[in-house]
Amino acid sequence: MKATLAHNNYRADPELQTREKRIICVRRIACGCAGCMARLRLPLPQRYEPHDTCERFRIFGRMNDWKLVELELTEDGDEAREEIEQLGLQERTDEIASLIGEGEAIAIAAPGDKRGFYIADTTGTVRQLDAPLTVHALKDEDGQPLQLAAGSSVIDARFRNPVERVRGCSKWYTDFLPDDPEGDVVVPTHLILNPGRD
């Protein structure tokens, strides 16, 4: 990975990947000029060869040519992969937080439910937990109550009840009674599948 640190433009071309090797293309500066885009449409053997049709060639010269870098799995590969996944999860959580507000219908991922999701209505806005929380109404992949860490991004919501055993009405839902505490749930934003859609 050290060979790529001075570069800001990365490209994982599916045509370069084989069962034995994982290769990425890197260059110092991203460029979307007509010359560079035309090169990316060429057959693979010519696609990443040095070229002088870039509009910024007079500035960069050969300094911005593509380089092919083979990725190697290291001992800390699993840890790095986990960090990347966490970054992706945080980005999605931030996006959800920016889209959702009070009084919106949401679908919640539910690995332990036969439908695979729950429907709920938000009753508040996105907030961060001050302390760890066990959410008994939601289960993890092992069927255990969901454990949330302090700082997790969550939103308060109220479940909708699916209507069972009504022919042709598998997608009907009813509201919980207002005083029924079983309807209340704290939802981590990373489990929200489609914010703001009724």
Side-chain angles (χ1 to χ4, degrees), residues 7-49:
H7 301 73
N8 296 297
N9 189 194
Y10 298 80
R11 193 163 198 268
D13 192 324
E15 292 184 51
L16 283 171
Q17 313 311 314
T18 66
R19 188 179 299 271
E20 295 78 22
K21 293 184 178 182
R22 298 292 182 262
I23 296 174
I24 60 171
C25 310
V26 301
R27 63 178 178 174
R28 294 179 183 275
I29 305 294
C31 182
C33 75
C36 286
M37 297 308 292
R39 293 296 298 193
L40 294 178
R41 290 190 289 273
L42 292 176
L44 186 60
Q46 294 87 39
R47 194 173 300 165
Y48 300 106
E49 288 183 348

Side-chain angles (χ1 to χ4, degrees), residues 111-122:
D113 188 82
K114 63 183 178 182
R115 292 179 184 81
F117 65 92
Y118 301 119
I119 300 295
D121 297 289
T122 59

Side-chain angles (χ1 to χ4, degrees), residues 33-186:
C33 75
C36 286
M37 297 308 292
R39 293 296 298 193
L40 294 178
R41 290 190 289 273
L42 292 176
L44 186 60
Q46 294 87 39
R47 194 173 300 165
Y48 300 106
E49 288 183 348
H51 66 99
D52 57 6
T53 55
C54 173
E55 291 177 5
R56 295 163 184 84
F57 179 74
R58 290 179 59 190
I59 301 170
F60 297 139
R62 298 266 76 93
M63 294 290 291
N64 206 39
D65 288 344
W66 286 105
K67 300 170 187 70
L68 302 185
V69 177
E70 183 178 347
L71 301 179
E72 296 179 2
L73 186 62
T74 62
E75 291 181 4
D76 59 351
D78 289 340
E79 183 179 336
R81 188 178 300 112
E82 185 176 334
E83 287 180 10
I84 291 169
E85 289 173 357
Q86 287 298 321
L87 285 172
L89 180 60
Q90 186 60 51
E91 286 178 6
R92 185 177 190 284
T93 295
D94 292 344
E95 181 182 4
I96 292 290
S98 71
L99 293 174
I100 199 162
E102 186 175 354
E104 297 193 50
I106 56 173
I108 307 163
D113 188 82
K114 63 183 178 182
R115 292 179 184 81
F117 65 92
Y118 301 119
I119 300 295
D121 297 289
T122 59
T123 58
T125 55
V126 174
R127 61 187 174 88
Q128 276 66 49
L129 290 176
D130 294 327
L133 178 69
T134 299
V135 183
H136 294 279
L138 299 175
K139 309 297 182 190
D140 62 21
E141 293 180 355
D142 298 321
Q144 300 301 310
L146 194 62
Q147 304 292 328
L148 300 178
S152 296
S153 182
V154 300
I155 191 165
D156 295 311
R158 194 152 178 81
F159 281 127
R160 292 186 191 176
N161 258 327
V163 175
E164 302 285 356
R165 300 192 182 96
V166 178
R167 181 182 297 174
C169 300
S170 61
K171 297 182 180 178
W172 281 13
Y173 290 82
T174 60
D175 295 329
F176 273 85
L177 293 174
D179 58 349
D180 187 347
E182 293 292 315
D184 294 326
V185 62
V186 176

